[in-house]
Amino acid sequence: MPTSHERLEQLRREIEEHDRRYYVEARPTISDAEYDALFRELRELEAAHPEWVTLDSPTQRVGGKATDGFAQVRHAVPMLSLDNLFAKDGLDGLKKWITSVEKLLPGEALEWLVEPKVDGLAVSLRYEDGRLATGATRGDGETGDDITENLRTIRAIPLHISGAPEVLEVRGEVYLPVAAFRKMCDEMRAAGEEPFANPRNAAAGSLKQLDPATVAKRPLAIVLYSPGECSAELPATQAEFLAWLAAFGFPVPRFQRLCSSAEEVYAAIQELDSVRDQFGFETDGAVIKLNQVALRERAGYTSRFPRWAKAWKYLSEQAETRIHSITVQVGRTGNLTPVAELEPVFLRGSTISRATLHNEDEIRRKDIRIGDTVIIEKAGEVIPAVVKVVLEKRPADAAPFDFLAHIHGKCPACGHAPRRDPEFAAWVCENPACPAQKTRRLVYFAKRNALDIEGLGGTVADALIERGLVDEPLDLYSLKLSTLGALNLGTDEEPRMFGEKNAAKLLEACQRARTMPLARWLHALAIPEVGEETAHDLAKFHDSLEAVADSQLLRDVVSLDRMRTEIEVASPRSKANKDRTELEKQQLATLQAGLIAEASEVGARLIASGFAAPSKRSGASPIDAVVAVGPVAAAATLDWFASEAGRKTLARLAELGISPKGGNKAAGDSPFAGKTVVLTGSLELMTRNEAQEKVRAAGGNVSSSVSKKTHFVVAGPGAGSKLEDAKKHNVPVLTEQEFLAMLGESAAPKKEDGLLF
Ligand code: IVH
């Protein structure tokens, strides 16, 4: 009879093995009920012995807390991308590259491995002592987002591998299987949400979710194909490396062809093209890699890519169809975008019935007319585009397209006369009461990375505005469950009710949004010029909406910008002032000196507050300070809060008792401000996410690996190689208690957030 602890270990191993059989090999060997029974038993044992719960237990996949943003992770080895070869360059293009590598490696018999190029999101998984320690996006290749908690929810990713080197980083692609993607889109449509445009967007959108519980609901999958940092010697070839990964239980590309000449590589690429439609994932090409690892370093790298591998891009898929009409859509900011309504055609995986025409100039340039037969293309683009018109098939009566006449000079949604924005060749409806804009603002308010009100997509928003139930986003807080449940999403002839269950969910999400942080509210309010990034920057330096509305920092940014221009205008040495009298020049010099003094003071104030950084240019002064939020966004923000709409919104929020919190003003004083911190071991007083949040809130960065640039290591029990690295680099190591004490917090016992019962 095993002891309870032995039984627990045994259950974990069995579940891991069944996860692998199910999610990696797609060959389960037990029934769902049997699996559930094992899982239940493990949960019960862990409930009885919470001290035995470790992060790599299968019960802990969805243990992480929702966060407000991701910490940054520096990749120990940069995540490179690949240079492309294009199908249109054919075998010759391929030969040229292969010969160039042969010249770099004279006398070597080169082997090539051809793999599918999976169209998903590149990620890096870092295992330390066999445990999944960090998972990150590629980011800019040097630093990515720490999405460990989200990646842990992917069942094909082992949380624990046996017999692995102390440090093992593996890289690959997270994707949403095509079938799951279709199902998810159907469900989103049924719930009145805007479906994802393609599986890649769905995978990226899912992994960037701030709440791991939401990610866990998406059936994401992964395939691994390249190494990052590894403390042991890697297998000698790519083919062996993939087999080595597979033996640890990682999913690897099934299609692999080992080739020894350009002709063989070319044949493998063609073979892949003919079978790739049958894969469960989307591929946008092939990847050709030098098989022998030792030779790779000798072949070397260009400034951006390895010389020893290439991505082969298949021809982007094109199809011919006819434009039967052109509609005009009104965007959130009032932009009028022409859209070609097409006779539906099937194009690699989906039916296309619309294509964007971008703007009036684009239509004129390509001379696109209603009735035209056109070639459309899906070139990794979200929305297909019209490549060109098939002139031979143009109907005799097709007239050149006149944008303004087509919309009768009026915004199709509200009838207001639009204005042409010369800079963007776009027509814009400036009527703030335009219902199309109202719908967009509502959808924008509810977006995942804004206030995340699930269920409030285009269809529902349209119906709410059209039926007069909502005029602006905050009206959502006056909706009654019964009214919302009875909302008709269909037509009068064919009604389709939203339903009480969906309505209850939507209202709950609205309630949850009340306490969301300032950054999300600033983003959700759709202030012109304020996107997600700017909203985050504003929220860092202000603790409430009122503080943003009345921000000295923003006023300083605007006045510094104005003074910079005035300083230029007042320059006695400028070309414009060259014909002035000496006296006038002297007066200008005095004026300019005054302006410089004033601007320096404002610049210095911005730098001292942390809202601007000193310019790194040599000889730069505080006037050249680099601001966190630029003058255009700063002015737009102040203007919006001072406008009637802004003032009304603030008053309304106060009435509703909503006062989102932001700010980490203390950051400047915190011992972690501007410092790089590494977290390691299993934290006991807080979750890893909470610890990351704390570092970020204190103005610091979180990194996954210890180097001489690390300022602190926070270590919980079971910390391994990172502790040794800290010693090696003389980096101070803090216990969790010390870490909290430095933040001025006391060590409250850890919330039992990891337990799933
Ligand atoms: S190898 C240094 N193999 O395509 C080698 N990349 O265009 C790095 N990708 O950034 C990449 N499938 O995100 C490799 N079998 C595969 C791949 C693959 C998809 C992605 C990856 C990479 C991009 C390059």
Side-chain angles (χ1 to χ4, degrees), residues 80-82 115-118 122 138 173 225 287 289 306 308 311:
L80 298 179
S81 178
L82 299 175
E115 300 169 6
K117 182 159 153 31
V118 184
R138 194 175 98 87
E173 208 82 3
Y225 48 66
V287 176
K289 298 174 184 173
W308 46 264

Side-chain angles (χ1 to χ4, degrees), residues 306-325:
R307 287 205 170 86
W308 46 264
K310 289 269 188 189
W312 175 277
K313 294 276 199 175
Y314 291 118
L315 286 177
S316 53
E317 297 287 313
Q318 297 191 332
E320 195 179 292
T321 181
R322 207 181 67 90
I323 301 185
H324 61 72
S325 59

Side-chain angles (χ1 to χ4, degrees), residues 480-600:
K480 291 208 178 56
L481 181 65
S482 51
T483 327
L484 186 57
L487 178 70
N488 182 2
L489 302 179
T491 56
D492 289 342
E493 300 77 51
E494 234 181 281
R496 185 162 69 86
M497 297 305 155
F498 187 46
E500 289 240 341
K501 223 166 107 192
N502 286 331
K505 267 206 236 158
L506 197 155
L507 293 182
E508 264 167 44
C510 289
Q511 290 309 319
R512 268 199 304 279
R514 284 173 160 276
T515 52
M516 291 226 181
L518 182 60
R520 283 176 171 255
W521 275 92
L522 279 169
H523 180 194
L525 292 175
I527 302 167
E529 307 291 335
V530 177
E532 191 175 8
E533 280 283 310
T534 306
H536 268 96
D537 289 334
L538 286 171
K540 244 194 241 168
F541 290 88
H542 299 88
D543 48 21
S544 63
L545 286 167
E546 288 74 14
V548 180
D550 187 32
S551 167
Q552 184 60 40
L553 292 173
L554 295 182
R555 283 201 294 265
D556 278 352
V557 169
V558 176
S559 65
L560 180 61
D561 183 60
R562 184 178 30 84
M563 286 189 283
R564 279 180 186 162
T565 318
E566 288 174 358
I567 289 170
E568 255 169 59
V569 174
S571 169
R573 282 187 303 276
S574 76
K575 244 196 196 156
N577 292 328
K578 77 174 183 338
D579 296 332
R580 301 227 180 229
T581 64
E582 267 319 298
L583 181 67
E584 280 172 336
K585 282 191 184 170
Q586 262 175 27
Q587 283 168 339
L588 280 175
T590 317
L591 178 70
Q592 198 197 24
L595 281 167
I596 291 179
E598 204 184 325
S600 304

Side-chain angles (χ1 to χ4, degrees), residues 439-727:
T439 306
R440 303 285 162 166
R441 271 204 299 274
L442 196 54
V443 172
Y444 190 82
F445 184 80
K447 265 197 326 180
R448 266 174 276 265
N449 43 0
L451 292 173
D452 195 17
I453 303 175
E454 224 178 308
L456 185 49
T459 320
V460 177
D462 258 343
L464 285 170
I465 303 278
E466 203 179 303
R467 317 248 161 208
L469 293 176
V470 169
D471 201 46
E472 51 139 325
L474 291 180
D475 293 340
L476 288 170
Y477 288 95
S478 320
L479 282 177
K480 291 208 178 56
L481 181 65
S482 51
T483 327
L484 186 57
L487 178 70
N488 182 2
L489 302 179
T491 56
D492 289 342
E493 300 77 51
E494 234 181 281
R496 185 162 69 86
M497 297 305 155
F498 187 46
E500 289 240 341
K501 223 166 107 192
N502 286 331
K505 267 206 236 158
L506 197 155
L507 293 182
E508 264 167 44
C510 289
Q511 290 309 319
R512 268 199 304 279
R514 284 173 160 276
T515 52
M516 291 226 181
L518 182 60
R520 283 176 171 255
W521 275 92
L522 279 169
H523 180 194
L525 292 175
I527 302 167
E529 307 291 335
V530 177
E532 191 175 8
E533 280 283 310
T534 306
H536 268 96
D537 289 334
L538 286 171
K540 244 194 241 168
F541 290 88
H542 299 88
D543 48 21
S544 63
L545 286 167
E546 288 74 14
V548 180
D550 187 32
S551 167
Q552 184 60 40
L553 292 173
L554 295 182
R555 283 201 294 265
D556 278 352
V557 169
V558 176
S559 65
L560 180 61
D561 183 60
R562 184 178 30 84
M563 286 189 283
R564 279 180 186 162
T565 318
E566 288 174 358
I567 289 170
E568 255 169 59
V569 174
S571 169
R573 282 187 303 276
S574 76
K575 244 196 196 156
N577 292 328
K578 77 174 183 338
D579 296 332
R580 301 227 180 229
T581 64
E582 267 319 298
L583 181 67
E584 280 172 336
K585 282 191 184 170
Q586 262 175 27
Q587 283 168 339
L588 280 175
T590 317
L591 178 70
Q592 198 197 24
L595 281 167
I596 291 179
E598 204 184 325
S600 304
E601 202 176 297
V602 175
R605 197 156 66 215
L606 283 168
I607 293 172
S609 69
F611 200 59
S615 163
K616 291 204 180 94
R617 270 194 302 116
S618 67
S621 85
I623 302 180
D624 308 308
V626 185
V627 284
V629 170
V632 176
T637 306
L638 291 171
D639 284 351
W640 186 82
F641 278 106
S643 72
E644 199 188 324
R647 276 183 288 132
K648 263 198 188 153
T649 306
L650 275 190
R652 192 81 191 275
L653 283 166
E655 254 169 51
L656 289 165
I658 298 174
S659 56
K661 297 275 176 298
N664 61 346
K665 285 219 182 105
D669 312 329
S670 157
F672 299 107
K675 299 284 169 15
T676 302
V677 180
V678 172
L679 307 167
T680 181
S682 52
L683 301 185
E684 292 186 317
L685 298 175
M686 61 207 121
T687 64
R688 198 164 270 264
N689 257 334
E690 283 167 350
Q692 286 174 351
E693 275 304 294
K694 287 182 198 291
V695 174
R696 271 165 46 101
N701 293 313
V702 178
S703 163
S704 69
S705 58
V706 180
S707 72
K708 60 177 188 299
K709 290 193 188 137
T710 311
H711 296 97
F712 296 103
V713 169
V714 179
S721 61
K722 286 185 195 169
L723 266 188
E724 283 154 37
D725 292 344
K727 263 191 222 131

Side-chain angles (χ1 to χ4, degrees), residues 14-284:
E14 275 186 39
I15 292 172
E16 276 168 17
E17 178 57 23
H18 290 303
D19 275 347
R20 198 182 60 77
R21 288 186 197 165
Y22 188 97
Y23 292 102
V24 179
E25 292 183 354
R27 270 198 307 235
T29 50
I30 58 172
S31 69
D32 288 358
E34 284 167 301
Y35 179 89
D36 290 346
L38 292 174
F39 212 90
R40 205 165 36 243
E41 191 186 343
L42 176 60
R43 259 195 210 158
E44 281 162 7
L45 262 178
E46 289 183 347
H49 298 277
E51 70 281 11
W52 290 344
V53 179
T54 52
L55 265 182
D56 62 348
S57 168
T59 60
Q60 300 302 300
R61 285 199 183 264
V62 203
K65 277 280 183 65
T67 89
D68 176 28
F70 298 112
Q72 294 297 297
V73 184
R74 220 184 153 72
H75 301 301
V77 175
M79 283 182 80
L80 298 179
S81 178
L82 299 175
D83 199 6
N84 292 324
L85 286 172
F86 295 96
K88 68 172 170 31
D89 297 328
L91 176 58
D92 284 347
L94 182 65
K95 272 188 179 156
K96 211 164 132 199
W97 167 58
I98 288 191
T99 314
S100 74
V101 184
E102 282 166 349
K103 280 199 188 129
L104 292 169
L105 302 165
E108 303 284 354
L110 306 187
E111 291 169 4
W112 303 97
L113 197 75
V114 176
E115 300 169 6
K117 182 159 153 31
V118 184
D119 198 9
L121 191 79
V123 299
S124 182
L125 306 175
R126 186 179 169 93
Y127 289 80
E128 289 173 7
D129 303 319
R131 290 187 160 73
L132 177 63
T134 321
T137 61
R138 194 175 98 87
D140 62 3
E142 299 275 337
T143 354
D145 285 341
D146 182 339
I147 52 163
T148 315
E149 298 300 333
N150 287 350
L151 288 171
R152 291 167 58 81
T153 67
I154 301 178
R155 305 278 276 269
I157 297 182
L159 297 177
H160 168 243
I161 47 180
S162 343
E166 204 178 325
V167 174
L168 173 62
E169 267 180 22
V170 278
R171 272 105 192 240
E173 208 82 3
V174 169
Y175 64 90
L176 191 69
V178 181
F181 168 71
R182 297 226 172 100
K183 186 159 164 259
M184 200 166 116
C185 288
D186 287 345
E187 284 167 4
M188 288 171 100
R189 251 179 242 117
E193 289 175 51
E194 202 72 48
F196 285 112
N198 56 35
R200 175 160 42 90
N201 279 28
S206 301
L207 276 183
K208 295 284 178 91
Q209 286 284 317
L210 296 171
D211 186 355
T214 315
V215 189
K217 289 187 209 139
R218 309 263 162 93
L220 293 168
I222 190 168
V223 60
L224 294 138
Y225 48 66
S226 72
E229 191 186 1
C230 180
S231 58
E233 196 164 337
L234 288 169
T237 65
Q238 174 71 7
E240 284 163 319
F241 170 71
L242 293 177
W244 186 68
L245 288 187
F248 285 125
F250 290 108
V252 296
R254 276 176 201 222
F255 184 101
Q256 301 171 22
R257 294 289 179 274
L258 192 60
C259 309
S260 50
S261 67
E263 286 75 12
E264 278 180 34
V265 170
Y266 193 68
I269 292 172
Q270 306 307 324
E271 184 195 348
L272 176 60
D273 193 20
S274 66
V275 295
R276 68 194 175 108
D277 263 355
Q278 298 152 32
F279 298 163
F281 46 81
E282 291 237 321
T283 43
D284 58 344

